[in-house]
Amino acid sequence: MTDHDFATRAIHAGQAFDPTTGAVVPPVYLTSTFVQDGVGGLRGGYEYARAANPTRDSLQELLASLEGGDRAFSFASGLAAEDALLRALVKPGDHVLMGNDVYGGTHRLVRKVLGPWGVELSTAEFGDADAVRAAIRPNTKVVWVETPSNPFMKVTDIEAIAEIGRAAGAVVVVDNTFATPYLQQPLAHGADVVVHSTTKYLGGHSDVVGGAVVLRDGELAEQVGFLQFAAGAVSGPLDAWLTVRGIKTLAVRMDRHSQNALAIARALHGHAAVERVYYPGLEGHLGAEVAARQMPRGAGGMLSIALAGGEAAALRLAGSMELFQLAESLGGVESLVNHPAQMTHASVRGTELEVPGSLLRFSVGIESVDDLLADVLQGLERL
């Protein structure tokens, strides 16, 4: 399957028809345990669903194919995936370096969950290779990249940071949730591990929660696999099946998300009520040249804007649109708007990642772009 194009693999990798009935779509294995042919006589290697389930295996094979990895692991949520990976990589006294604009939940996980355990955390401007190099410590074990970042859409040169990480003996992890493997291939750019909240674009329909780790290193894969089994935060079979269903249309959805987001970014750029537009595909965006090289198919469906009228204007706009619904999360076919300072990034208030109240983050869906433009422009006119 590796010799086929992305869109083909998204539909077929790990998705062989059911050999018993010929069903084109593999069934959902809603079972907690499996009958054995005598003690230790496992049928297909299955004994208990926490250890392995055919539906989860099909998703994991698909994820590995799309990211160009050797192994993939599917978890109950994106943070569960991150937690298992970090516990495989760090111990008390180790240091994690991440960008100064990442998902608040990731920062919270290291700072408030692993921090009391003795793991150190610091941040740096990942758009500046010299700043990253200066922030590396002798005990740095993980360099955590999020590109495009959340919520300022900062773009990191993965190859440059991977080179710095390798020189320091650290594992370079890339959160590829915003870009997806259709738009960006971190492992091909030198990253060691890719993580996803599969809740977002991979699932794509706002109806399933999940996470994933994809990697090539066999030893690290064994450690992550052990933690997946031992701690048990696995994705359920129906969740895995829904995620596979979503991935089958990932290529066509991401094309539409990117087209719509670019049109809206261009329309809002220079608008009197908008102080700044953050979108990697917009000319003048910091890191746009790197984004064009790393994400040749498009810049994705996420953008943020800073309102000239400050937080009051941001809150009014967030509640005044019809198609852009006020909600957390992102990556579904429907358009959403979020006020990070009080919603997704509330946990980083008082830290270097604090988000100004004037900022709104848009998850641009795949509706008619004319309808979406009318919705946001009418909202701006009412400010």
Side-chain angles (χ1 to χ4, degrees), residues 34 67 75 105 110 126 171 242 274 276 309 319 361-362 377:
F34 301 83
E67 283 288 6
F75 289 86
V110 181
F126 271 36
V171 173
L242 286 169
V274 178
R276 186 171 177 181
R361 189 193 71 187
F362 292 81
L377 290 174

Side-chain angles (χ1 to χ4, degrees), residues 233-314:
V234 298
S235 57
L238 184 57
D239 292 340
W241 187 89
L242 286 169
T243 305
V244 168
R245 185 196 63 174
I247 290 174
K248 290 179 179 181
T249 59
L250 180 63
V252 292
R253 286 189 289 107
M254 293 311 298
D255 283 339
R256 183 65 171 264
H257 283 298
S258 297
Q259 293 164 7
N260 284 359
L262 178 59
I264 291 173
R266 286 173 172 167
L268 298 186
H269 181 64
H271 192 286
V274 178
E275 185 178 89
R276 186 171 177 181
V277 177
Y278 301 89
Y279 183 66
L282 193 64
E283 291 183 9
H285 181 86
L286 188 62
E289 292 182 3
V290 176
R293 171 166 50 81
Q294 286 184 175
M295 304 169 66
R297 290 186 172 120
M302 299 301 300
L303 67 88
S304 295
I305 63 173
L307 276 298
E311 183 168 24

Side-chain angles (χ1 to χ4, degrees), residues 89-164:
L89 291 174
V90 297
K91 62 183 184 303
D94 289 342
H95 171 240
V96 176
L97 176 65
M98 62 178 55
N100 60 5
D101 179 38
V102 299
Y103 169 51
T106 301
H107 188 270
R108 178 184 58 214
L109 173 65
V110 181
R111 182 168 61 98
K112 292 191 173 182
V113 178
L114 300 183
W117 189 45
V119 174
E120 301 172 12
L121 170 67
S122 66
T123 63
E125 174 54 65
F126 271 36
D128 182 347
D130 289 335
V132 175
R133 195 174 289 108
I136 294 285
R137 302 175 184 176
N139 60 335
T140 301
K141 300 301 181 184
V142 176
V143 177
W144 193 280
V145 179
E146 189 177 287
T147 183
S149 68
N150 185 3
F152 288 103
M153 313 303 152
K154 293 181 180 180
V155 177
T156 298
D157 187 328
I158 297 172
E159 290 182 2
I161 302 305
E163 184 178 342
I164 294 170

Side-chain angles (χ1 to χ4, degrees), residues 177-178 180 197-206 250 253-254 257 301-302 328-336 361-366:
T177 298
F178 274 20
T180 80
S197 171
T198 58
T199 309
K200 313 304 193 294
Y201 286 107
L202 294 178
H205 294 79
S206 301
L250 180 63
R253 286 189 289 107
M254 293 311 298
H257 283 298
M302 299 301 300
E328 296 198 3
S329 198
L330 56 104
V333 294
E334 66 287 311
S335 294
L336 302 177
R361 189 193 71 187
F362 292 81
S363 175
V364 181
I366 64 172

Side-chain angles (χ1 to χ4, degrees), residues 32-48:
S32 61
T33 192
F34 301 83
V35 171
Q36 301 182 24
D37 295 324
V39 176
L42 307 184
R43 298 187 181 191
Y46 297 105
E47 57 181 334
Y48 185 62

